[in-house]
Amino acid sequence: MSGRFNDQFADAAPTVVQPLDIMGDKGNQAEYPVEALGPVLAAAVAAGVDATFVPVSIAAQCCLAAISLAGQGHFDVELPTGQRRPTSLSLVTIAESGDRKSACDDYMMAPVWAFQEKLEDDFQARKANTLIEQSAWDEAKKQATQTHKKGGQAALAQAYRDLGPRPEGPPDPTIVMRSGTTQALVKRYISGRPSMGLMSDEGGSWLGGYGMTPDNQLLTISLLSDFWDGRAVQINTVGEGFTALKGRRLAFHLMIQPFLAGRLLGNAEAQGQGFLSRLLVAAPESKAGSRFVDPDRRQSPEHRAAIGTFRERLSTIISAPLPMVDDTPVLKPEPVIFSDQAKAMWWAFYNALEARLGPEGDLKEVKGFVGKLPEQAARLAVNLAAFEQGARLRELDAPTLARGIQLAEFYLSEAVRLFGKPSTDPLMADAQLLSDWLREKWTENLISAKAIAQFGPSRLRRGGDHIAALIDVLVRHEHLSDQLPGGGMVSGAKVRKAWRLQMREARNG
């Protein structure tokens, strides 16, 4: 009797599913060209590595995300093709849970959070005053209506013109959205700043959110691509009708775990819409097991000075008034043109890449990414120049473009390593989806095929044979136990075929 009780108790204990490794063995990351960032940013990256124990490329990603967010509203880049494009960067950082990516993000973004907190305080103070002004306006309108209604429509219209528009509330103070749908992002742009960031150190919440469901991910990806291109973003919903947003800028930085990377890097919609070609991805090896700390050690004076200089300059840029078109919420960034030498260098880079895209070329597997790489190099270079020169920037010189190209070549090596492989087998992709669902949504310790068919992701409900094949994959990868001989209780009902979710501790023990 006690043995049966212990078995039931074991079944009830909470477990954690060990996710499949969608990334597989992609080889090692190339060394990040940190010197190309310039002395101030390179020193800040070194300070971030020292303070948070992250790989260099994670600190560099966080650094670039911060300066892109700060500068994108102030400058555009005018390419040698004549196209005028935003300087906004779209970054993806792939790192394991516990690799300190959140700590590094906070370390680099500290001036942004401080400025957003100030804006939020100002918003609350102004909101209280606005409510008083709106109440007074409402009362004045009532009195005007009573006084002039007998004079007819013309008299009322003149009275309302004399009254003026109803006082509007203060602009939304949001600088960075951590999650949310594209519709929510559009609403923020309507009522708030025209330059924002969509940045999450828990990218799984965004990938698994409403905006990336099968019914909504095409709209999400299309809108994010439009923001990157600098187009007027258009959205049409049943509830709110048509909205067109001109002169908005969006910096994007998603930090995700390797087992979730397949959802993005292997997403057919993202690939088909060219969204993946707009992403600068870094996936370093974990430093876990080597981050030993001397409790008596303090950060060096050089690193303290470096991060202080970086934060002071970043704070100045992020808090500077945004250039606007008259009294509208439309940005008016300053165009940055190329010097003659920079133009020649840019075209040489373009032609060198084009030569590698033919049938025998080594870059044909990532030709979509390569097609946008010259523009990425220009964006990276202008971000560096904007951070270094501030409002004085008008022209991009060849040495700075060379640094942008050096950074772009690193991201090309990552694209070849991460994208330039055969796409994930559809069965394995569905197995990954089932594994994610079991880990994130399923609260019981046993699972059955019937429960998966009833409650699991809709994409997996393609018949019993498909579900059986997925269960077989998870058993082989030790996410699920072998089939339990006596069945078990699943969702309150006895089933003949049941599997136990494997414990991570058990696998490591």
Side-chain angles (χ1 to χ4, degrees):
M1 186 72 176
S2 60
R4 290 179 57 193
F5 177 82
N6 288 336
D7 289 342
Q8 293 172 359
F9 182 83
D11 286 346
T15 65
V16 180
V17 175
Q18 178 72 28
L20 290 171
D21 183 8
I22 281 291
M23 294 292 290
D25 183 10
K26 300 278 188 175
N28 295 328
Q29 183 184 71
E31 182 178 355
Y32 195 93
V34 68
E35 70 284 351
L37 295 172
V40 174
L41 295 178
V45 166
V49 170
D50 181 53
T52 61
F53 304 98
V54 295
V56 171
S57 62
I58 290 182
Q61 292 281 90
C62 295
C63 184
L64 288 173
I67 67 170
S68 171
L69 172 65
Q72 65 181 357
H74 296 277
F75 296 103
D76 282 347
V77 57
E78 189 170 306
L79 298 172
T81 59
Q83 295 172 297
R84 182 167 168 173
R85 306 306 292 270
T87 60
S88 310
L89 300 179
S90 292
L91 302 152
V92 173
T93 303
I94 301 171
E96 297 280 1
S97 177
D99 274 353
R100 316 282 174 84
K101 53 187 183 293
S102 299
C104 187
D105 187 52
D106 287 340
Y107 188 80
M108 294 297 182
M109 291 280 286
V112 176
W113 306 137
F115 182 56
Q116 179 160 303
E117 186 175 350
K118 179 182 180 298
L119 291 181
E120 289 168 350
D121 291 342
D122 292 345
F123 175 82
Q124 294 301 328
R126 293 176 62 187
K127 184 178 180 181
N129 290 332
T130 300
L131 291 174
I132 295 172
E133 293 171 356
Q134 289 175 339
S135 297
W137 187 93
D138 291 341
E139 187 60 34
K141 182 181 178 183
K142 289 180 184 177
Q143 293 178 6
T145 302
Q146 290 296 323
T147 302
H148 297 282
K149 65 182 179 180
K150 292 183 179 180
Q153 181 177 346
L156 269 176
Q158 184 58 50
Y160 292 158
R161 278 193 290 269
D162 293 341
L163 187 60
R166 190 172 189 264
E168 294 183 355
D172 189 295
T174 302
I175 301 175
V176 176
M177 283 187 63
R178 291 288 200 174
S179 60
T181 63
T182 48
Q183 289 88 343
L185 181 64
V186 167
K187 286 183 179 179
R188 297 283 191 180
Y189 276 116
I190 293 172
S191 61
R193 289 171 59 87
S195 174
M196 290 197 297
L198 178 57
M199 300 177 170
S200 177
D201 54 3
E202 292 295 340
S205 62
W206 183 80
L207 285 172
Y210 178 79
M212 289 299 285
T213 59
D215 292 338
N216 295 292
Q217 65 177 340
L218 180 58
L219 172 62
T220 296
I221 290 167
S222 296
L223 285 177
L224 291 177
S225 297
D226 285 345
F227 276 119
W228 192 89
D229 293 338
R231 296 173 183 162
V233 173
Q234 300 178 351
I235 188 167
N236 195 3
T237 61
V238 175
E240 300 184 17
F242 177 78
T243 302
L245 297 172
K246 297 180 181 179
R248 268 57 170 196
R249 295 292 182 265
L250 178 70
F252 182 87
H253 186 200
L254 202 65
M255 308 181 92
I256 55 178
Q257 297 180 38
F259 75 88
L260 289 171
R263 286 196 192 176
L264 183 62
L265 305 186
N267 187 293
E269 294 286 5
Q271 184 69 52
Q273 293 295 313
F275 181 57
L276 296 186
S277 300
R278 294 167 168 85
L279 301 179
L280 300 176
V281 182
E285 293 77 46
S286 175
K287 294 180 71 174
S290 64
R291 302 168 300 190
F292 300 106
V293 176
D294 179 355
D296 297 324
R297 174 182 171 274
R298 297 291 182 268
Q299 191 173 35
S300 70
E302 292 78 12
H303 283 163
R304 288 200 300 272
I307 197 61
T309 300
F310 168 77
R311 288 176 175 173
E312 183 179 0
R313 193 170 295 182
L314 180 62
S315 179
T316 298
I317 299 171
I318 193 68
S319 59
L322 292 168
M324 312 294 283
V325 176
D326 299 325
D327 295 325
T328 71
V330 178
L331 282 168
K332 188 181 180 181
E334 185 74 26
V336 178
I337 63 173
F338 280 56
S339 72
D340 289 342
Q341 284 185 321
K343 284 182 182 179
M345 180 180 292
W346 191 84
W347 282 118
F349 181 54
Y350 171 90
N351 287 330
L353 291 172
E354 183 66 22
R356 300 168 66 184
L357 290 178
E360 304 301 322
D362 63 323
L363 297 180
K364 61 182 183 295
E365 296 293 341
V366 289
K367 63 181 180 180
F369 182 82
V370 171
K372 289 185 168 51
L373 197 60
E375 181 177 337
Q376 296 278 27
R379 291 186 185 219
L380 287 161
V382 173
N383 272 283
L384 301 180
F387 183 80
E388 293 164 357
Q389 301 179 37
R392 305 188 312 276
L393 177 63
R394 292 293 180 273
E395 184 178 86
L396 182 65
D397 59 31
T400 307
L401 176 60
R403 291 157 54 199
I405 290 174
Q406 191 176 357
L407 292 170
E409 288 175 335
F410 165 81
Y411 291 107
L412 173 59
S413 72
E414 285 291 84
V416 170
R417 187 170 70 96
L418 303 173
F419 305 160
K421 306 285 182 179
S423 59
T424 303
D425 182 276
L427 181 66
M428 295 299 289
D430 281 356
Q432 175 69 73
L433 179 61
L434 177 56
S435 174
D436 295 343
W437 177 76
L438 289 170
R439 182 178 55 85
E440 297 168 5
K441 304 293 186 183
W442 189 248
T443 58
E444 299 181 36
N445 205 42
L446 300 183
I447 190 66
S448 67
K450 181 179 179 181
I452 295 170
Q454 283 184 314
F455 308 114
S458 57
R459 193 177 94 191
L460 307 183
R461 301 172 192 172
R462 287 186 254 156
D465 290 344
H466 185 62
I467 291 176
L470 298 180
I471 291 174
D472 180 62
V473 170
L474 296 190
V475 170
R476 285 189 283 110
H477 284 78
E478 300 181 15
H479 290 220
L480 298 177
S481 69
D482 292 332
Q483 182 180 320
L484 301 179
M489 296 292 294
V490 180
S491 295
K494 176 70 176 180
V495 295
R496 290 190 305 107
K497 296 182 179 180
W499 292 262
R500 179 180 290 113
L501 278 65
Q502 298 285 58
M503 295 175 65
R504 180 177 284 129
E505 292 80 6
R507 293 188 64 189
N508 294 338

